[in-house]
Amino acid sequence: MTFQDILKIFEENDNFLILTHKSPDGDTLGSGFALCAFLRDMGKKANVVNSDSFPERYDLIYESYYPQEFDVKYVIAVDIADTNLLGSNLSKYAEEGAIDLCIDHHISNKYFAKQSYVEADASAAALIMYKIFKASGRKISRQIARCLYTGIATDTGCFKYENTTPQAHIACAELMSYGIDFAYINRKMFDVKSKGRLMVEQSVTANMEYYCGGKCSMIVLTKELMEKSGVDAAEFEGLASIPLSVEGVKIGITVKQRHENVFKISVRSDDEIDASAFCREFGGGGHIRAAGCEITGSLEEVKAKLLKQAEKVLG
């Protein structure tokens, strides 16, 4: 599938519904809202939906967005590797054939859509969107540029992660030329934290656990701790980088409680460990250095499973 094939789909269809993944991040929202704006600029009708609400943290992406009324005729998933990432409120789209097109950059993509464009070496789904829009020859609005920049910046950790490519830098340099407030975007995404978020950081850092001779570290975010902080769930993004920041650690694990016996796992690894392969053992996936999954059971059972796998990969 080529960019021209995708653009032909945009031209020949209308009434688009754009799906973004649960616990939304800057890339899925940046890609989704950029695509929505692009389609509307083409004269099409389009909406963006999420199983959760759109986090206030990303309001700079959707501040000018408004939902349109129409009967959905074409469904596009962005930055979604598997239908289990849709969330309960969008689970009906997990049915076979319900999603027409998926545009993604995860090596673990399950190819669940009727048609898929997956570029596993792309730094972000937003980078793929950028290239599609450029291939169209159409003008990119300042708001689209803002969405795309946010998506690429957040998925590369402000261009610090290993998935950062020359293409990502070049694309963002051009997006900056549209007059976007990139300094504000980066400050809001990476520097500004609420008092509640800082309290959580202090707690998980003080209680970080080390295993496998210090090569594996783990932090745990219980529902009690998160509720006590009083902050929006989106603010907990970025905590997954804390365990790997410790000298000597090769695999950092973040255990975040979603429900009583359901835990979201985020894994970050150095250049010797495949995080996606690690999470695949638990039905998850993602990128080589950053991946995730969900595990059910008590906290101690979940930790035991993770540590058994960590011991296996660390030898």
Side-chain angles (χ1 to χ4, degrees), residues 2-4 6-7 10 18 29-42 76 78 101 103 125-141 143-149 152 174-175 178:
T2 67
F3 292 157
Q4 293 305 320
I6 296 172
L7 291 167
F10 295 168
I18 302 165
L29 294 178
S31 300
F33 283 106
L35 177 57
C36 182
F38 184 81
L39 290 169
R40 289 184 180 185
D41 286 348
M42 291 178 64
I76 303 176
V78 294
L101 173 65
I103 300 174
L127 179 57
I128 300 173
M129 291 297 176
Y130 164 82
K131 293 193 286 186
I132 293 171
F133 299 165
K134 288 285 288 182
S136 75
R138 290 179 174 272
K139 182 180 179 181
I140 297 175
S141 69
Q143 182 57 25
I144 290 175
R146 183 190 241 194
C147 290
L148 295 176
Y149 182 94
I152 298 170
E174 179 167 333
L175 293 168
Y178 284 80

Side-chain angles (χ1 to χ4, degrees), residues 156-230:
T156 59
C158 205
F159 313 101
K160 293 188 298 183
Y161 297 161
E162 191 176 89
N163 66 325
T164 306
T165 62
Q167 277 192 329
H169 280 296
I170 292 168
C172 285
E174 179 167 333
L175 293 168
M176 288 167 62
S177 73
Y178 284 80
I180 63 171
D181 42 357
F182 62 90
Y184 168 74
I185 292 170
N186 287 327
R187 183 170 184 274
K188 184 170 184 178
M189 294 297 102
F190 302 103
D191 296 338
V192 177
K193 300 174 183 178
S194 68
K195 293 178 181 177
R197 160 65 189 255
L198 289 172
M199 181 270 286
V200 172
E201 280 190 22
Q202 291 171 346
S203 177
V204 297
T205 301
N207 294 288
M208 193 181 306
E209 301 169 12
Y210 300 93
Y211 303 94
C212 304
K215 294 180 181 180
C216 173
S217 61
M218 182 184 296
I219 59 173
V220 177
L221 285 83
T222 62
K223 285 191 72 176
E224 180 183 7
L225 175 61
M226 291 185 285
E227 289 170 358
K228 183 180 178 182
S229 72

Side-chain angles (χ1 to χ4, degrees), residues 59-81:
D59 59 1
L60 59 88
I61 289 176
Y62 62 82
E63 62 184 7
S64 60
Y65 170 80
Y66 59 91
Q68 297 178 328
E69 289 189 12
F70 56 81
D71 294 326
V72 176
K73 293 182 180 177
Y74 201 91
V75 181
I76 303 176
V78 294
D79 194 41
I80 299 175

Side-chain angles (χ1 to χ4, degrees), residues 81 106-108 110 275-277 279-287 290-293:
H106 292 93
I107 195 170
S108 58
K110 298 294 179 62
S276 183
C279 290
R280 201 155 49 236
E281 292 294 321
F282 304 102
H287 302 293
C293 59

Side-chain angles (χ1 to χ4, degrees), residues 226-262:
M226 291 185 285
E227 289 170 358
K228 183 180 178 182
S229 72
V231 301
D232 187 88
E235 279 205 61
F236 297 119
E237 255 186 68
L239 287 175
S241 64
I242 291 177
L244 193 64
S245 67
V246 181
E247 186 178 9
V249 170
K250 295 184 175 298
I251 183 165
I253 303 173
T254 300
V255 180
K256 184 166 72 173
Q257 187 176 23
R258 291 181 62 86
H259 306 292
E260 184 177 354
N261 286 305
V262 181

